[in-house]
Amino acid sequence: MATVGSHGRVHYDLPIPSVRIRSNPKNASFGSLKPWLISHHSKFGNFYSELRLQRKIPSPESMSTLGVLSSNQSTMDFSMSGDLIKDHVDSGFPEDALKVFVKMLECGFPLDEFRFFPVLIKAFGVISDVEKVREIHVHLVKLGVLDDIYVANSLLGVYWKCGEARDAIQLFWKMPKKDSVSWNTMISGFCRSGDYMGSLRMFSQMIREHGVLPNRVACLSALSSCSALKSLLHGKEIHAFVLKSGLDLDDDFLISGLADMYMKCRDVKNAGYIFEGILDKEAVRENAVIWNVMILGYVSNGYFSQAVELFVEMLESGILPESSTMVAVLVLCSGLLDLAVGKQIHGFAISHGLDKDVRVETALIDMYFKCGYAKAGLDIFKTSLNRNIVMWGAAISNCAQSGLPSEALDLFHNYRMKNGFADSLIVLAALRACSSLTLKSKGLEIHGLVVKSGFGSDVFIGGALVDMYAKCRDIESAEKVFYRLLDRDLITWNALISGYAQNGCPDEALKAIHDMQSERITPNSVTSACVLSVCAHLSAMTLCKEVHGYLLRRGFGSNDLISNSLIATYAKCGDINSSRTIFRKMPEKNEVSWNSVFLGLGMHGHADEVFVLFEEMEESGMKPDHATFTALLSACSHAGRLEEGFKYFRSMVECYKLEPQLEPYTCMVDLLGRAGQLKQAYDMILAMPCAPDDRIWGSLLAACKSHGDRRLAEVVADHILELDPTNIGYRILLSNLYEDYGKWEEVNRVRTEIKDMGLKKSPGCSWIEVDNDIHTFVAGDRSHHHTVDIYDALERLTLQIRKAGYVPQSPLVTVGPSDVLHKDLTSTKTNSLLFLATARDKDQAASAKIMT
DNA sequence: GTAGGGTTAG
């Protein structure tokens, strides 16, 4: 009899069951279940009434209106109760099934049959409460009903459903009798728990050691395992068995299972044969699943046109596409980057009522982002009513990859606020967003989350962490993360190597490439691009040529990334002709190719050639971006072309609607500064929309020095030292400037400050590669065995510079991006000397001098 | 009365 307690919970009086076990009279006492019921009864009562409150499942009171469970009814239809249990389980209310069972005991039903035991056991599986399953296991043993194969098989299935592989395996081998259902439960259990080899082992053991022939269910499960393992060999064996065993060849489950196996094993041809085999079998042909399998199989194997054809054929055959068809075709559009077709599919999905499926929505989001229409993707995400972790992941990763890193981090934040847990893909995307924003504080926070969530051993996450720290210019932390990784793959190595390359650690980069190869990891095009960037840093022409040769031998000659790197590297190594040739020979140039050649030519003083090429770029329909204008303006600045500089700066804003960031402004300030228009340069810095950094001020400071504006120099120096108080380079520049004016007091003041702050100047260092040898020089160095020739050459160069109309400030030649110096050096017939000195860092760039 | 099956999203 049920009563409602003070807290609104339903309590039950204890039942006094009278039970007779028909098939096992020895264990006929139901008494053993009684203590269990006593101890669990009220627990279950509370448990289920809580569940009911949460999920609004029908109450026993409402069930009694069915006339089955009226508590004052002394006799109840036994078979109807069994059916009710089954109904509850089938309709997804296992709690109610258990309640009916308890009710039956209350009513004193004789349990002389256990027809409904299996279905009852299944109810435990749905609730997925292992402890309760183990308890009922004990009672099933005590009742002696586990000898019944139906009961045992049910329990076996429940253990697998609860993810308890060990209990399932133990039970299976203890079972005195096993039928095909028992075996199949094991084969699929292993498969669903991810132990695919275990699943296939069961399959083979069943046949070989126990002589049980697989039925279609066993074959389907085993095929799933083959697909997951991408094991074509095993898959073909099963296919052969299916053909020999006389299994139904018109079975559409088997056919789609086979086709899927072949597709997953990348054997598109055999998948095609399977599909052709059904074209004349109408019943099979009308099943959309096989079409879905084929279309998605083609897409994931890169057979895009076949996928398109099949989809068209499907529509023409009048087969109604399903949500999975939409997903497959949308993934196809993402692969083809075809926005127009993607939009059509979107419309199609709407008109067929398939657009509100989570997977379809997610595929739509991904398609819009991949096809460059981020806004549409975000709109779907924002209006979706069924966002799950995958959809969030799609939105966050796509934002991070589509140049919307701030949006990615905002979404990440929202997601964490709502859900707390983020999976490794979401964390990965957030880390990548931090990398592109060089947002170390946020990156550190996510690193903490990585450790807490146990994603530390994930190679992808590891690589992203290395990359994040490297991009945030914290190469020490990048190294630390890298060397703590248990698994290091090519990607992680590349992250470290490019980190070294980008942070001015060329030696470390080269060593890392060496170490990577001693771990038997072969460099790819990304690694090679890093080596090239190191060559550019070091102006290491020989190494550059060696790498180039290696790349040609490995067939990377037509790789975009490589060609672009070569353009930049040859230019930086002084060989602008090779740079130009590689650019010209590229069959398909992308934005980076154009930008690289502009930068290279500009660096070499070929401004006019850059201007002509830019027109060519515009004519070719390629759209200039921020980097293009930075390169153009840098060319202008190198050649002192103020007028053109202003022209491009205006066109950037007015024609291309690009808002200039710091770099173009730096070029403009440099240009104005060189032209002596110091006031305009200063005003431009003050008026620009972004915050000035030390470099732009540094450029103006250098201009102040060369044009002798001491008063402005002091103002500028204040700005710099506020931004970067420990930067010694600018302080030295300032002290040199005072020196020019004979302001010895000021000189002393600055020098004392430097001393008091404990700042040390690392000596300016230059080097040059001659016949595979690197010759290094520091300031005042006279140790080189050609020192006399070198100083002779320097004097001659200084003369030439004067002749060309440039006035060296002092007998010292400043190392820097001076194309004039560079041009003269390369054209001078001093064969032994090819001066391509590069300062190691910006400190030295500001003050390094070749040989005092 | 039991068990078991196919495609699909980041």
Side-chain angles (χ1 to χ4, degrees):
Chain A
M1 161 94 74
T3 53
V4 178
S6 54
H7 298 290
R9 284 178 177 156
V10 184
H11 298 280
Y12 297 94
D13 298 328
L14 294 179
I16 306 157
S18 71
V19 180
R20 287 191 331 269
I21 300 290
R22 184 196 55 187
S23 64
N24 211 331
K26 265 184 268 171
N27 286 330
S29 162
F30 208 87
S32 55
L33 190 54
K34 195 172 161 189
W36 175 73
L37 282 168
I38 292 169
S39 62
H40 289 83
H41 201 189
S42 57
K43 220 160 62 181
F44 275 140
N46 290 345
F47 174 58
Y48 295 123
S49 50
E50 274 163 23
L51 268 176
R52 188 177 331 97
L53 287 174
Q54 288 164 15
R55 298 184 32 193
K56 301 198 167 51
I57 55 180
S59 64
E61 288 76 14
S62 70
M63 296 195 310
S64 61
T65 60
L66 297 172
V68 180
L69 275 178
S70 167
S71 56
N72 55 9
Q73 205 175 329
S74 55
T75 52
M76 214 164 88
D77 189 317
F78 181 85
S79 64
M80 273 181 83
S81 302
D83 290 344
L84 192 63
I85 287 178
K86 194 172 185 318
D87 283 350
H88 281 310
V89 174
D90 288 346
S91 50
F93 298 112
E95 300 88 350
D96 291 340
L98 292 172
K99 210 177 272 295
V100 174
F101 176 61
V102 171
K103 234 9 184 179
M104 290 171 72
L105 295 174
E106 281 174 6
C107 296
F109 282 129
L111 300 178
D112 54 356
E113 272 189 65
F114 35 90
R115 194 163 55 83
F116 51 83
F117 262 74
V119 92
L120 199 63
I121 294 166
K122 193 174 160 191
F124 283 94
V126 177
I127 297 164
S128 202
D129 186 334
V130 198
E131 286 314 309
K132 292 207 173 62
V133 175
R134 292 213 180 97
E135 282 170 26
I136 205 166
H137 186 168
V138 171
H139 287 282
L140 292 171
V141 172
K142 284 184 187 164
L143 287 169
V145 295
L146 211 54
D147 289 347
D148 184 283
I149 190 111
Y150 291 98
V151 174
N153 283 342
S154 311
L155 188 62
L156 196 61
V158 167
Y159 273 131
W160 279 116
K161 277 210 187 83
C162 298
E164 296 300 311
R166 277 176 56 179
D167 294 65
I169 294 165
Q170 215 172 23
L171 172 63
F172 177 75
W173 291 116
K174 272 191 191 158
M175 282 164 62
K177 274 180 289 176
K178 302 173 182 69
D179 63 0
S180 60
V181 174
S182 331
W183 283 101
N184 294 348
T185 307
M186 293 304 281
I187 296 166
S188 87
F190 273 112
C191 176
R192 281 191 304 185
S193 68
D195 183 353
Y196 307 111
M197 276 318 290
S199 158
L200 293 183
R201 231 178 275 129
M202 272 284 143
F203 185 78
S204 121
Q205 212 167 355
M206 170 180 81
I207 304 169
R208 286 198 216 169
E209 294 169 22
H210 297 261
V212 179
L213 283 182
N215 59 14
R216 57 190 290 278
V217 176
C219 289
L220 279 168
S221 288
L223 278 173
S224 281
S225 297
C226 295
S227 303
L229 289 168
K230 303 189 191 303
S231 169
L232 189 57
L233 200 73
H234 294 113
K236 278 186 170 170
E237 272 185 68
I238 294 165
H239 187 188
F241 175 82
V242 169
L243 294 176
K244 275 190 294 188
S245 66
L247 284 170
D248 183 7
L249 292 177
D250 290 348
D251 181 332
D252 43 3
F253 276 85
L254 266 179
I255 287 167
S256 46
L258 280 167
D260 183 51
M261 180 275 293
Y262 279 118
M263 281 300 196
K264 294 259 163 66
C265 294
R266 315 199 69 90
D267 185 345
V268 179
K269 213 167 148 191
N270 271 316
Y273 289 144
I274 300 274
F275 183 71
E276 276 170 25
I278 60 112
L279 286 176
D280 55 342
K281 295 173 184 164
E282 208 153 305
V284 186
R285 197 185 139 87
E286 278 168 4
N287 186 341
V289 175
I290 179 79
W291 294 83
N292 300 342
V293 169
M294 290 303 290
I295 295 173
L296 193 78
Y298 279 132
V299 174
S300 40
N301 283 293
Y303 289 66
F304 293 154
S305 52
Q306 282 89 333
V308 175
E309 276 169 30
L310 207 59
F311 178 59
V312 173
E313 195 185 329
M314 179 179 182
L315 296 181
E316 284 172 355
S317 312
I319 295 155
L320 210 62
E322 306 171 327
S323 64
S324 353
T325 324
M326 294 297 97
V327 170
V329 184
L330 287 168
V331 175
L332 171 65
C333 295
S334 307
L336 289 170
L337 304 174
D338 194 330
L339 181 61
V341 177
K343 280 180 175 171
Q344 281 183 30
I345 302 294
H346 189 180
F348 185 94
I350 294 173
S351 61
H352 288 71
L354 298 169
D355 61 316
K356 296 299 172 202
D357 179 290
V358 213
R359 290 183 165 95
V360 174
E361 279 185 324
T362 309
L364 277 168
I365 293 170
D366 198 52
M367 181 278 293
Y368 277 122
F369 268 102
K370 295 273 151 62
C371 296
Y373 193 3
K375 195 185 166 296
L378 273 177
D379 282 348
I380 293 176
F381 175 75
K382 284 179 183 151
T383 53
S384 170
L385 296 172
N386 40 13
R387 277 176 240 167
N388 63 10
I389 191 165
V390 182
M391 196 188 281
W392 276 94
I396 297 173
S397 326
N398 274 304
C399 281
Q401 283 164 32
S402 313
L404 299 170
S406 310
E407 282 78 357
L409 285 182
D410 284 348
L411 287 178
F412 175 71
H413 183 73
N414 287 342
Y415 178 77
R416 293 252 300 144
M417 295 297 280
K418 284 197 186 92
N419 305 282
F421 174 80
D423 67 7
S424 65
L425 280 169
I426 290 179
V427 172
L428 185 68
L431 271 176
R432 288 182 175 157
C434 294
S435 291
S436 25
L437 292 167
T438 57
L439 212 60
K440 192 173 148 192
S441 53
K442 190 77 191 164
L444 276 168
E445 197 186 308
I446 298 174
H447 191 172
L449 183 67
V450 166
V451 175
K452 254 195 283 173
S453 322
F455 298 146
S457 51
D458 183 313
V459 257
F460 288 90
I461 298 267
L465 278 170
V466 172
D467 184 61
M468 183 274 292
Y469 282 119
K471 291 258 162 58
C472 296
R473 315 211 125 258
D474 180 357
I475 195 72
E476 284 85 13
S477 299
E479 271 178 331
K480 225 186 259 171
V481 172
F482 179 83
Y483 285 106
R484 277 186 198 153
L485 289 176
L486 301 172
D487 267 329
R488 302 198 289 247
D489 64 357
L490 178 64
I491 313 280
T492 8
W493 273 106
N494 283 346
L496 181 74
I497 293 166
S498 84
Y500 282 136
Q502 287 158 19
N503 284 285
C505 311
D507 302 332
E508 288 82 352
L510 293 177
K511 184 179 177 301
I513 289 163
H514 183 260
D515 291 347
M516 171 180 119
Q517 285 172 296
S518 38
E519 282 189 13
R520 303 197 159 272
I521 294 172
T522 316
N524 67 351
S525 57
V526 175
T527 328
S528 309
C530 293
V531 189
L532 287 173
S533 127
V534 168
C535 295
H537 251 94
L538 294 172
S539 300
M541 175 70 97
T542 311
L543 183 57
C544 167
K545 284 187 173 158
E546 278 173 15
V547 175
H548 192 180
Y550 169 84
L551 291 168
L552 289 174
R553 282 197 299 280
R554 293 227 11 226
F556 284 134
S558 55
N559 179 308
D560 281 0
L561 174 67
I562 295 294
S563 300
N564 294 341
S565 305
L566 282 168
I567 293 170
T569 307
Y570 272 117
K572 284 190 184 145
C573 289
D575 184 355
I576 190 64
N577 289 330
S578 299
S579 179
R580 197 189 275 122
T581 310
I582 291 162
F583 174 76
R584 284 283 174 215
K585 280 192 177 164
M586 276 181 85
E588 295 219 6
K589 307 167 174 70
N590 59 25
E591 290 94 333
V592 182
S593 327
W594 289 96
N595 298 347
S596 304
V597 83
F598 293 160
L599 266 181
L601 288 168
M603 193 187 293
H604 284 257
H606 303 308
D608 289 314
E609 193 179 342
V610 172
F611 302 156
V612 174
L613 267 181
F614 178 62
E615 278 178 28
E616 218 178 280
M617 177 183 186
E618 284 181 308
E619 280 161 17
S620 77
M622 182 72 67
K623 266 184 99 176
D625 57 11
H626 282 94
T628 314
F629 283 101
T630 305
L632 287 173
L633 293 172
S634 149
C636 295
S637 131
H638 274 275
R641 304 286 285 265
L642 187 59
E643 200 184 309
E644 284 89 348
F646 269 108
K647 189 185 96 186
Y648 289 123
F649 193 77
R650 264 198 305 273
S651 120
M652 173 176 190
V653 181
E654 287 163 12
C655 306
Y656 290 97
K657 310 286 174 221
L658 293 167
E659 193 182 330
Q661 296 301 307
L662 200 54
E663 291 82 6
Y665 275 108
T666 309
C667 292
M668 289 307 289
V669 166
D670 193 65
L671 205 43
L672 286 165
R674 281 168 192 250
Q677 304 196 10
L678 303 178
K679 178 75 175 62
Q680 288 90 322
Y682 181 70
D683 289 344
M684 185 169 239
I685 296 182
L686 294 184
M688 62 187 202
C690 42
D693 67 352
D694 57 324
R695 293 171 200 226
I696 193 165
W697 285 120
S699 163
L700 184 55
L701 185 63
C704 290
K705 183 176 184 299
S706 43
H707 289 92
D709 190 333
R710 185 169 57 85
R711 289 186 58 184
L712 186 57
E714 285 172 342
V715 176
V716 172
D718 280 346
H719 283 291
I720 297 182
L721 297 179
E722 194 182 314
L723 281 169
D724 193 358
T726 59
N727 189 310
I728 183 165
Y730 297 124
R731 285 178 194 268
I732 291 180
L733 191 58
L734 190 63
S735 138
N736 289 347
L737 193 136
Y738 286 131
E739 213 178 312
D740 291 348
Y741 285 87
K743 292 266 173 190
W744 300 110
E745 261 176 48
E746 300 296 324
V747 172
N748 278 336
R749 184 179 57 82
V750 177
R751 287 191 180 162
T752 315
E753 270 173 19
I754 291 174
K755 220 170 155 188
D756 289 350
M757 289 180 76
L759 302 178
K760 281 234 170 69
K761 175 82 188 76
S762 45
C765 173
S766 312
W767 61 96
I768 181 169
E769 186 188 322
V770 183
D771 295 337
N772 260 343
D773 264 343
I774 299 205
H775 303 259
T776 314
F777 306 92
V778 291
D781 195 347
R782 284 190 174 268
S783 62
H784 196 271
H785 55 283
H786 280 139
T787 188
V788 178
D789 296 339
I790 291 169
Y791 277 88
D792 275 357
L794 257 182
E795 257 171 46
R796 264 185 285 130
L797 285 167
T798 312
L799 264 171
Q800 285 190 18
I801 291 170
R802 280 223 174 81
K803 249 204 247 162
Y806 294 87
V807 186
Q809 311 278 299
S810 58
L812 314 171
V813 181
T814 306
V815 179
S818 165
D819 45 295
V820 177
L821 171 68
H822 181 243
K823 210 160 61 178
D824 281 4
L825 286 170
T826 45
S827 58
T828 308
K829 295 277 182 265
T830 47
N831 291 331
S832 64
L833 293 172
L834 183 76
F835 273 89
L836 281 169
T838 312
R840 277 207 179 235
D841 59 40
K842 64 176 184 191
D843 283 357
Q844 292 158 1
S847 63
K849 292 165 182 184
I850 297 179
M851 291 166 266
T852 45

